Amino acid sequence: MIYLEICLGTACHLMGSEEIFSSIEKLPPSVREKITVRGMHCLNACDQGPNVRINGKVYHRMTPEKLIEVIEEIGGEADA
Amino acid sequence: MPRLLTEIDKIRRQVLTEVSRLTFEGRLLREIEELPYKLYDEGIRNYRCCQYKERAVLKERIRLAVGQDPKRDREPLVNAAIKALKEDKVEGSMLRVIDIACDRCPIDAILVTDACRNCVAHNCVNACPKKAIQIINGKAVIDKEKCVECGLCAKACSFGAILQLQRPCERSCEVKAISSSEDRHAVIDEEKCVSCGACTVGCPFGAISYKSEIVPVIKRLKEKDDVIALVAPSISGQFGRSVSLGQVITGLKELGFSEIREVAVAADEVAKLEAEEEIDGWLTNSCCPAYKNYVTKHFPELKDHVSHQLSPMALMATQIRKEKPNSYLVFIGPCLSKKEEAQELVDAVLTFEEIACMFVARDINLATLGKSPYTDSPSKYGLGFAQSGGVSAALGTYKSVKVKTLNGLSECKKALLLAKANRIDAEFLEGMACSGGCVGGPGTLVDANFSRRVLQSEISEREKEE
């Protein structure tokens, strides 16, 4: 199970956090159902947005491509 | 914004945020010269050939952010800052080419690729009206001297081996206002340009951008003048799924705006006035400034068909100005063309992007703020002006007319050509320069479909409250 928190604060929004959100919505259902998504108001790194927290770990300057890599990595670990 | 956020958007936003911060904190003159170095050190790098070019490009982006024209010479940034702080208004054309950022892409209009099989039919040779194609060493070769770039060879090739290419800036410009100079830099023809801003999105090098008006606005906010914000109907959802208009209003107050007004109420009035207008055959809207420019510049014979009403922004500004002659009026919207429409009526026009950068510069996080009450109560039709079809829907509440919705400049072009030939099958043409209407504008922060969805839910929420 992946617990994903996306910062929706204004600084992160300006750098594209909304795109991170919509990229999750576009994932295939088999992957999407393993992810619990929650919006956050701040992850205290406003100059390095968009910030997300995945299973407790904060990632900076996130992009939809990077996020999918991280999800695959974690998913792979869980399967192994 | 019907596209993904690119590195170009992020760089522009970082620059705008830093310039906002320096202006708010009174450090612009002292620190502007260092800003290209700071931004480079913070990670705007690896896009260009070397650090020197990277900073040279940043320097011109900063010049645009303080509302000044990009330069080719070595003039220091501080001169631009001095000018920006002295001037009350950003003057001249807002869309500018940053020469040093322009790749001067050497695109041959017609290119024979390796997919050429040296076939027997030689359809390309036969199709060429100028006899510009010869087969040399087993491959079609185009004589550039003779080629008129008509593209018939590309269509004729059975393998699709010939490409017809165009520079991205030129392709993005529906009104053909962009050409290349002798040294192949992009050049905007002001006579043809309608200021829609599509080229700022189209150029993948970010070589065309807009002059920002953040410095004069911040100056007024700091002087605690009576600065009034006029927000466009398309504001719904611009600041993300968790931020309501009430929170944006709180944020604008924290920035120093004394009052926040919704232009959607003026849109309601415009629709009513437009419905009362005499129709000579057909009428078309005046609210989209890029579309209005398009009609007046490219179809001057049709300009009498343009509604004589002020745009909602202009109408609201005129009304507020009457009551409060000393106020400073700032329109906040998705539009670059509004920056030029503003002229005497509105003191400054900011995009949603510019205002968001100002929030970030002041560490204002809208998501954490409480909601302020609305001043205005626009109808769902006034709010609907934000999207393609909205003006027609508003008009439809007053009278039944046959409407045609033109979504984006290419649809506008087709309909206006037909209108010119007297072959028009509508009484009202609703022209929008941006695809999707205002929600698809170049100054937006979110995808047009997303903001359309938020707009719908906000409309139903406001209806419930009433």
Side-chain angles (χ1 to χ4, degrees):
Chain A
M1 207 56 209
I2 295 172
Y3 191 64
L4 168 67
E5 295 162 290
I6 302 173
C7 179
L8 297 172
T10 304
C12 286
H13 177 67
L14 186 64
M15 289 295 146
S17 56
E18 199 51 59
E19 267 183 16
I20 311 280
F21 236 111
S22 50
S23 72
I24 293 298
E25 287 158 8
K26 284 180 205 137
L27 286 174
S30 61
V31 183
R32 175 68 189 84
E33 67 189 11
K34 290 186 190 140
I35 307 169
T36 311
V37 186
R38 215 186 112 207
M40 293 279 301
H41 287 168
C42 192
L43 284 167
N44 300 317
C46 302
D47 55 347
Q48 298 173 68
N51 297 307
V52 304
R53 190 158 59 194
I54 305 171
N55 292 347
K57 186 178 170 200
V58 178
Y59 295 78
H60 307 298
R61 299 191 210 284
M62 190 44 84
T63 63
E65 300 78 43
K66 258 166 75 181
L67 181 64
I68 287 167
E69 273 174 38
V70 178
I71 287 171
E72 275 176 358
E73 220 170 90
I74 294 175
E77 280 166 24
D79 290 343
Chain B
M1 195 174 59
R3 53 171 174 131
L4 291 175
L5 196 68
T6 68
E7 293 298 300
I8 293 158
D9 301 308
K10 291 185 186 176
I11 293 170
R12 190 179 56 246
R13 290 174 186 183
Q14 270 171 275
V15 170
L16 286 168
T17 304
E18 285 308 317
V19 168
S20 298
R21 201 186 316 267
L22 293 180
T23 312
F24 269 119
E25 295 173 8
R27 300 187 282 136
L28 188 67
L29 289 177
R30 225 177 322 132
E31 294 180 32
I32 193 168
E33 220 67 67
E34 285 300 310
L35 194 50
Y37 294 86
K38 179 174 186 275
L39 290 164
Y40 177 82
D41 290 342
E42 284 176 359
I44 301 181
R45 54 169 89 193
N46 301 336
Y47 301 106
R48 306 281 174 172
C49 58
C50 62
Q51 53 173 314
Y52 305 102
K53 177 141 186 188
E54 202 81 70
R55 286 194 295 263
V57 173
L58 279 170
K59 191 172 164 185
E60 300 318 311
R61 295 199 191 285
I62 295 165
R63 233 190 280 275
L64 282 170
V66 299
Q68 303 296 313
D69 288 324
K71 294 258 187 323
R72 269 185 174 185
D73 54 31
R74 283 187 241 162
E75 194 182 314
L77 279 174
V78 71
N79 291 5
I82 291 169
K83 236 174 135 205
L85 289 168
K86 208 173 353 171
E87 284 170 2
D88 242 355
K89 225 175 162 63
V90 174
E91 301 282 358
S93 301
M94 292 295 180
L95 297 177
R96 305 315 281 160
V97 177
I98 304 172
D99 280 346
I100 193 164
C102 176
D103 185 51
R104 307 191 294 151
C105 27
I107 287 178
D108 287 328
I110 306 286
L111 182 74
V112 183
T113 66
D114 287 348
C116 173
R117 306 275 306 136
N118 187 18
C119 64
V120 179
H122 290 162
N123 289 330
C124 57
V125 175
N126 299 335
C128 179
K130 294 291 172 187
K131 307 227 175 306
I133 306 181
Q134 279 183 298
I135 307 297
I136 300 172
N137 292 338
K139 194 181 167 190
V141 175
I142 297 170
D143 182 343
K144 300 261 159 55
E145 298 292 315
K146 291 184 186 162
C147 175
V148 291
E149 301 175 357
C150 66
L152 287 174
C153 56
K155 289 191 192 89
C157 175
S158 313
F159 294 102
I162 304 178
L163 301 179
Q164 188 171 15
L165 301 168
Q166 214 181 357
R167 307 219 308 179
C169 52
E170 291 176 24
R171 190 170 50 223
S172 70
C173 182
E174 288 287 348
V175 301
K176 303 209 180 320
I178 303 180
S179 57
S180 40
S181 66
E182 269 176 27
D183 56 1
R184 291 209 314 266
H185 284 111
V187 180
I188 301 174
D189 180 348
E190 310 287 345
E191 298 290 312
K192 290 185 185 162
C193 176
V194 298
S195 309
C196 68
C199 52
T200 65
V201 183
C203 172
F205 279 89
I208 306 180
S209 194
Y210 65 92
K211 287 198 289 201
S212 170
E213 295 173 77
I214 49 178
V215 174
V217 174
I218 294 173
K219 209 172 71 178
R220 291 303 188 118
L221 289 170
K222 281 174 72 179
E223 285 164 6
K224 305 223 180 310
D225 286 347
D226 191 12
V227 186
I228 301 176
L230 286 70
V231 302
S234 51
I235 197 161
S236 290
Q238 289 299 329
F239 300 92
R241 59 186 66 209
S242 65
V243 175
S244 68
L245 180 58
Q247 287 171 300
V248 180
I249 293 175
T250 309
L252 289 169
K253 285 188 175 157
E254 284 197 10
L255 273 182
F257 286 92
S258 57
E259 216 181 303
I260 291 89
R261 301 291 309 274
E262 284 181 76
V263 174
V265 283
D268 275 324
E269 279 181 68
V270 169
K272 184 164 181 281
L273 293 168
E274 227 150 57
E276 287 163 3
E277 229 176 288
E278 289 282 324
I279 294 185
D280 174 22
W282 56 279
L283 187 74
T284 193
N285 57 306
S286 61
C287 58
C288 169
Y291 170 70
K292 190 178 171 187
N293 287 342
Y294 186 47
V295 179
T296 49
K297 284 186 172 182
H298 295 262
F299 295 89
E301 61 275 47
L302 301 179
K303 70 173 192 296
D304 290 339
H305 291 280
V306 177
S307 156
H308 296 85
Q309 304 311 319
L310 292 173
S311 71
M313 169 185 87
L315 178 65
M316 183 170 232
T318 314
Q319 291 166 346
I320 299 177
R321 188 81 77 198
K322 244 182 243 165
E323 285 169 44
K324 302 182 166 183
N326 294 323
S327 55
Y328 183 86
L329 307 181
V330 183
F331 177 80
I332 300 169
C335 186
L336 294 182
S337 197
K338 284 273 186 228
K339 284 182 177 283
E340 290 178 28
E341 183 202 339
Q343 290 181 15
E344 304 305 313
L345 296 164
V346 180
D347 296 296
V349 170
L350 297 179
T351 58
F352 293 129
E353 174 176 88
E354 288 171 285
I355 199 80
C357 292
M358 287 166 58
F359 284 134
V360 174
R362 294 308 272 160
D363 297 328
I364 294 171
N365 184 352
L366 298 175
T368 60
L369 300 180
K371 290 184 193 176
S372 292
Y374 308 135
T375 309
D376 299 297
S377 322
S379 79
K380 66 175 178 185
Y381 297 103
L383 292 167
F385 264 58
Q387 50 185 328
S388 175
V391 179
S392 308
L395 204 63
T397 61
Y398 295 102
K399 65 175 175 187
S400 100
V401 282
K402 190 163 184 200
V403 297
K404 192 164 169 53
T405 311
L406 316 171
N407 197 355
L409 277 178
S410 68
E411 283 189 28
C412 296
K413 182 180 178 181
K414 277 181 213 144
L416 291 170
L417 282 171
L418 285 173
K420 199 169 140 181
N422 268 326
R423 282 167 54 204
I424 186 166
D425 185 27
E427 293 158 283
F428 185 77
L429 290 184
E430 183 203 286
M432 293 286 161
C434 294
S435 180
C438 307
V439 290
T444 54
L445 292 166
V446 291
D447 180 74
N449 291 324
F450 174 81
S451 63
R452 237 193 318 264
R453 274 203 311 275
V454 180
L455 180 68
Q456 285 317 320
S457 63
E458 225 161 79
I459 285 173
S460 45
E461 220 166 274
R462 285 171 86 140
E463 277 181 339
K464 256 186 268 158
E465 279 170 27
E466 273 161 26

